[in-house]
Amino acid sequence: MRRTLISAATVVSTVTAASLLLAPVASATGKPKGDNGTVKIHDSKTGEELKKNEPKVCSFYLDAFGFDAEQKVQWHIEAWANNEQEKGTTVKEGTIVLDGDGHERTEDMTLPNGQYKLFWNFEGENGRAKHKVFKTDCPTDKPTDKPSDKPSDKPSDKPSDKPSDKPGTETPGTSESPSASPSTPGATNAPGSNGGNGGDSDGNLAETGSSAPVGILAAVAVALAGAGAFLVSRRRKAQQH
């Protein structure tokens, strides 16, 4: 009976000693190998040594801390909300290898304004991928001035003078005809002009100033004829007596 008690005590002592030896190892590892570390979203101007997350950025990078040494990481970013892409569409992706301290960062990158979700997968992970939701919000440049190619001032004056003559038209008060008006004294259509025939260039009798001279000549001719006949009649009568 005594030997049994001694053996039982020995077993308990051995188990207790083993538990005390293994306890520091368990506390030191914390998480299973491969599931350690965290990843942060950093503004491009934020130093990579700072272990803070910035969920609202413009230009940014991914910063990893506390992972196992030289782990290989595959990451991708999906469109999530408030952007032109359909939710779940991969918009960025890449691969990096962490250094001996389980730390590394990506290059700077940008995305159109909106909400996105990072998925961080690495070798040896025992659970799901680490993930972060963040938002990009870059300022948009609005033009402060009107486009320079537009005229700054409207024309101050309209054309003051319109063209006085249309092509091919006469100016009022002038004449392009080489001959004078038929009613002008001394015009070319007066009697005796155009070769002395009393007509115009077409052989027609001029209308103005032609009737009066013809009438006078006719009257004179009649008077002379009458006077001649009278004289002849008187001479005959004188010879008879």
Side-chain angles (χ1 to χ4, degrees), residues 26-213:
S27 61
T29 57
K31 295 180 181 180
K33 182 176 176 62
D35 288 343
N36 303 311
T38 183
V39 60
K40 306 294 183 182
I41 308 293
H42 277 177
D43 185 273
S44 296
K45 298 179 181 179
T46 301
E48 60 183 271
E49 71 281 356
L50 299 178
K51 296 182 180 181
K52 67 175 183 177
N53 194 61
E54 296 175 292
K56 186 176 181 180
V57 293
C58 178
S59 177
F60 65 97
Y61 66 94
L62 311 178
D63 203 358
F65 299 93
F67 287 90
D68 294 333
E70 300 180 355
Q71 276 186 312
K72 185 177 181 180
V73 178
Q74 291 181 328
W75 59 268
H76 72 277
I77 298 174
E78 297 180 2
W80 211 245
N82 300 324
N83 52 57
E84 297 179 355
Q85 299 289 338
E86 184 178 354
K87 184 177 180 179
T89 302
T90 297
V91 293
K92 292 280 186 182
E93 60 184 338
T95 301
I96 62 173
V97 177
L98 307 181
D99 62 17
D101 296 326
H103 170 258
E104 193 56 76
R105 56 157 290 175
T106 64
E107 298 293 332
D108 292 347
M109 63 188 87
T110 57
L111 287 170
N113 288 353
Q115 191 178 67
Y116 300 90
K117 187 171 184 178
L118 165 68
F119 294 86
W120 185 268
N121 295 93
F122 46 92
E123 291 178 342
E125 66 180 33
N126 297 309
R128 295 181 300 173
K130 296 183 181 294
H131 52 81
K132 287 282 188 300
V133 176
F134 66 99
K135 181 179 180 181
T136 58
D137 186 15
C138 295
T140 56
D141 296 330
K142 295 182 179 180
T144 56
D145 298 323
K146 294 181 179 180
S148 58
D149 56 347
K150 292 184 178 181
S152 57
D153 297 322
K154 294 182 179 179
S156 58
D157 297 322
K158 294 182 179 179
S160 58
D161 296 323
K162 294 183 179 180
S164 59
D165 299 326
K166 294 182 179 179
T169 60
E170 295 179 4
T171 304
T174 63
S175 175
E176 297 295 334
S177 175
S179 60
S181 173
S183 60
T184 304
T188 57
N189 57 359
S193 63
N194 293 327
N197 58 5
D200 59 12
S201 60
D202 294 331
N204 297 324
L205 186 65
E207 296 180 1
T208 304
S210 61
S211 60

Side-chain angles (χ1 to χ4, degrees), residues 212-234:
V214 172
I216 293 172
L217 292 177
V220 171
V222 171
L224 291 175
F230 177 74
L231 292 175
V232 170
S233 176
R234 288 189 65 180

